[in-house]
Amino acid sequence: MRTRLWCWVVVSLFPVVALQGQDRESLIERIVEEPSWEASTELAEYGEEEIELLIGNNVRAVQQFGLIGASQLRIEGPEGSVRMTLFEMIDSTAAFGLFTLKREWRRNGFEPFPVGAGGYRIGGELVFWQSKYVIQLVGPNHPVEVLARILSTTI
């Protein structure tokens, strides 16, 4: 009986451990492997030292939420170019915190967008969070939506 319980615990927790261990590099590789998407710029990595260049004035708040790092890449698809920024946080709670910090629901054009654990769109920008990531996509509507759905199923 104990052996059976132990096996159940190990098998049940294995997928959770795998999801938490997924890093930004593997997500980016997965996107670039898509036949219809191609990186058009070099990957820019932002660690603790460089993150202010990407975030600006909110750097202290973002670091307090538990930022691990960020990656930015421009990707070309069949219907246009998308700038993709992946913010990796220490866990999903930290990701939700960053998502709410970035969300400007009173801004003109704000509309919720059903992707990941929660998302929104303002003009050509789509932001969503899922697991320990906050993803910001900027570009034409259709390629942004396609890329968001690919990322959401990959995370």
Side-chain angles (χ1 to χ4, degrees), residues 18-33:
L19 282 174
Q20 290 299 320
Q22 191 174 30
D23 60 7
R24 293 186 315 274
E25 290 78 21
S26 63
L27 289 174
I28 291 167
E29 285 174 15
R30 169 68 177 90
I31 297 302
V32 175
E33 287 173 359

Side-chain angles (χ1 to χ4, degrees), residues 60-73:
R60 178 174 244 122
V62 171
Q63 288 172 332
Q64 288 176 346
F65 275 121
L67 177 74
I68 292 175
S71 301
Q72 191 172 68
L73 181 67

Side-chain angles (χ1 to χ4, degrees), residues 6 11 23-24 68 72 77 90 94 107 129 132:
W6 176 247
V11 169
D23 60 7
R24 293 186 315 274
I68 292 175
Q72 191 172 68
I90 58 170
R107 201 164 124 199
W129 75 280
K132 63 179 184 172

